[in-house]
Amino acid sequence: LPLALLLLCAFQVCSASEGKCCANRVAPWNFSLDFVPHILHALDQYRPCSSQPSDPDCECHALTIRRDLGPYAEAGITRSMMAQSRRLGVVYQVIDGRIYRQPEVPHPKRCADVEDMLLGIAGELPNVEFILNVRDWPQVPFLSGFTGPVFSHSVSHQHLDIMCPAWSFSSVSGPPLQRFPHGIGQWGHMRRHMAAAAAQVSWEHKQPIGFFRGTRSSTERDTLVRLSRRSPDLVDAQYTSNVGAETVDEVPFSGHCQYKYLFNFGGITASFRLRHILLCKSLVLHVGDQWQEFFYSSLKPWVHYVPAPSNATVESLEQLLVYLRLHDDLAEEIAERGFQFVWQHLRLQDVQCYWRNLLQEYAKLLKCRVEQEPEFIEVRKQTKALQKF
Ligand code: UDP
């Protein structure tokens, strides 16, 4: 990385040049009691992400690719960088439109999910080699001296991993739930399912309370759970898993659409819930901005969701909810725009397009020829029987 960018990032200074570490940051805001100026300002600044509503050229998420590959733009990606990265993930190669990978992998189901997506675009890809991290946590800490490249589904501002769509967009597995032991469901199906659930309950009929269900995977979630205990008429937030403490049953994504205000928090990394709950046509309150997925920076605070700082107190969350109740029309408009964005610009074809553009741009930076590894196996379409698991 250029030294200037390293220094800016070390001090968490966001510059006009948009360093990787600084990108996506929601400008810190004071918890003022009047949010209308934030909303008006955000709407004034907002420009549609694509010149055509159907975004045929995948412009909507293009900046994220450019930003993530930025650190490699000058010197490219050398053979020795690839050699160092290999120990941090699964090595994939695309050669003449066929996909190969190392035979032994951690999380084979997650790999199968990603492969499902890649097989659909293999014919359009250049010869390329990349390292896919299928663990939860990103692998390239900023200022560690190690530069990657490693592809990860979720990164924080302290990581240099290149973001790629999460394995959970695809069909083969997905994170298991009590009622859905085979996973939360393929995104193409879940989109339709959630849009149908949203259509069943109009804004006026949604319960005007905040709602959250999930694991205690981050203590950031505690504040809302405390508020829920104190003001159950304002928030229903409970843990479905919390070591040594009382928990409640999980609620399917579609059940979330009954409520007006849905909370999203980072967990171990970014939570997969964000894209689902945005499809409820409820207002999403997105707490904290540490963890990102590839589509997060295309969503704009106050335009598509309401941002809240990760250190928000019980009182400030309470004030925010009371405020939103009093400004019901504004809340409904943000909820509608959040739905429209995910419905129009986070289709399966957008996810596939992201993979295609990412790999095409990344391949241009590779300074070494892709040489087929003799022990690698070719990735092929899963049979129906395997796809169930
Ligand atoms: N989830 C759900 N209903 C619940 C609890 C969780 O749909 O009652 C979903 C949640 O939205 C997320 C996944 O299950 O997509 C895992 O949730 P958890 O809180 O365990 O982890 P996270 O990924 O949010 O840290």
Side-chain angles (χ1 to χ4, degrees), residues 2-3 15 28 71-72 78 83 122 148 154 198 206 258 260 264 298:
L3 182 64
S15 71
Y72 308 101
T78 61
S154 176
K206 289 178 191 276
Q258 301 294 324
K260 264 192 187 170
N264 183 60
S298 313

Side-chain angles (χ1 to χ4, degrees), residues 177 213-215 217 221 240 250-251 253 256 267 271-273:
L177 291 174
R213 288 289 182 277
T215 307
S217 51
R221 301 172 174 194
T240 53
E250 288 169 347
V251 171
F253 280 123
H256 288 56
S271 170
F272 296 140
R273 68 168 48 70

Side-chain angles (χ1 to χ4, degrees), residues 291-364:
W291 291 107
Q292 307 281 319
E293 284 187 78
F294 83 93
F295 59 92
Y296 278 31
S297 52
S298 313
L299 292 163
K300 301 300 173 198
W302 301 111
V303 176
H304 302 113
Y305 64 88
V306 167
S310 54
N311 61 356
T313 59
V314 170
E315 290 72 29
S316 56
L317 288 181
E318 183 175 31
Q319 286 166 358
L320 178 57
L321 285 168
V322 169
Y323 181 91
L324 292 169
R325 273 186 176 173
L326 291 172
H327 295 78
D328 198 50
D329 48 346
L330 288 178
E332 183 182 5
E333 282 170 21
I334 299 174
E336 177 66 29
R337 285 192 295 266
F339 169 89
Q340 289 301 340
F341 188 90
V342 174
W343 188 248
Q344 289 170 9
H345 299 305
L346 199 58
R347 302 160 295 182
L348 263 188
Q349 69 201 73
D350 299 308
V351 180
Q352 227 165 18
C353 185
Y354 194 88
W355 263 119
R356 183 170 51 239
N357 287 357
L358 174 63
L359 288 173
Q360 284 172 350
E361 294 306 309
Y362 167 89
K364 291 179 193 162

Side-chain angles (χ1 to χ4, degrees), residues 70-323:
Y72 308 101
E74 225 167 273
I77 297 165
T78 61
R79 191 176 294 282
S80 80
M81 289 159 79
M82 292 301 291
Q84 281 191 57
S85 294
R86 276 178 164 226
R87 70 199 153 83
L88 294 171
V90 179
V91 185
Y92 279 92
Q93 294 186 323
V94 181
I95 298 171
D96 299 333
R98 290 165 175 265
I99 302 174
Y100 303 88
R101 71 151 158 81
Q102 63 184 72
E104 299 299 326
V105 293
H107 295 294
K109 287 180 190 161
R110 293 182 181 187
C111 290
D113 279 343
V114 172
E115 289 159 11
D116 196 46
M117 193 68 75
L118 294 178
L119 281 166
I121 52 168
E124 299 162 79
L125 298 179
N127 284 7
V128 67
E129 177 174 310
F130 63 96
I131 317 297
L132 179 72
N133 163 33
V134 281
R135 297 196 162 86
D136 289 331
W137 197 259
Q139 300 291 319
V140 192
F142 190 63
L143 290 182
S144 64
F146 169 62
T147 54
V150 176
F151 286 27
S152 294
H153 79 274
S154 176
V155 304
S156 81
H157 306 297
Q158 267 93 46
H159 293 93
L160 285 174
D161 301 53
I162 298 166
M163 272 189 289
C164 64
W167 37 273
S168 64
F169 277 98
S170 201
S171 57
V172 188
S173 60
L177 291 174
Q178 289 157 6
R179 295 197 207 166
F180 306 97
H182 298 309
I184 55 178
Q186 193 246 20
W187 179 233
H189 163 77
M190 286 306 287
R191 275 169 50 85
R192 291 189 294 278
H193 175 68
M194 292 304 293
Q200 275 176 13
V201 43
S202 64
W203 180 259
E204 295 73 37
H205 288 101
K206 289 178 191 276
Q207 292 192 47
I209 62 171
F211 186 77
F212 176 80
R213 288 289 182 277
T215 307
R216 190 171 182 252
S217 51
S218 140
T219 50
E220 276 179 10
R221 301 172 174 194
D222 287 354
T223 314
L224 189 71
V225 173
R226 279 206 296 277
L227 176 59
S228 170
R229 287 191 198 126
R230 196 168 91 177
S231 306
D233 54 333
L234 193 62
V235 184
D236 177 356
Q238 301 186 65
Y239 286 126
T240 53
S241 164
N242 182 10
V243 181
E246 215 171 281
T247 56
V248 295
D249 278 351
E250 288 169 347
V251 171
F253 280 123
S254 54
H256 288 56
C257 302
Q258 301 294 324
Y259 304 91
K260 264 192 187 170
Y261 316 111
L262 299 177
F263 279 82
N264 183 60
F265 297 88
I268 296 171
T269 55
S271 170
F272 296 140
R273 68 168 48 70
L274 179 60
R275 60 187 144 102
H276 294 90
I277 60 179
L278 279 162
L279 284 181
C280 267
K281 290 199 182 178
S282 299
L283 178 67
V284 170
L285 290 93
H286 180 46
V287 184
D289 64 353
Q290 187 192 2
W291 291 107
Q292 307 281 319
E293 284 187 78
F294 83 93
F295 59 92
Y296 278 31
S297 52
S298 313
L299 292 163
K300 301 300 173 198
W302 301 111
V303 176
H304 302 113
Y305 64 88
V306 167
S310 54
N311 61 356
T313 59
V314 170
E315 290 72 29
S316 56
L317 288 181
E318 183 175 31
Q319 286 166 358
L320 178 57
L321 285 168
V322 169
Y323 181 91

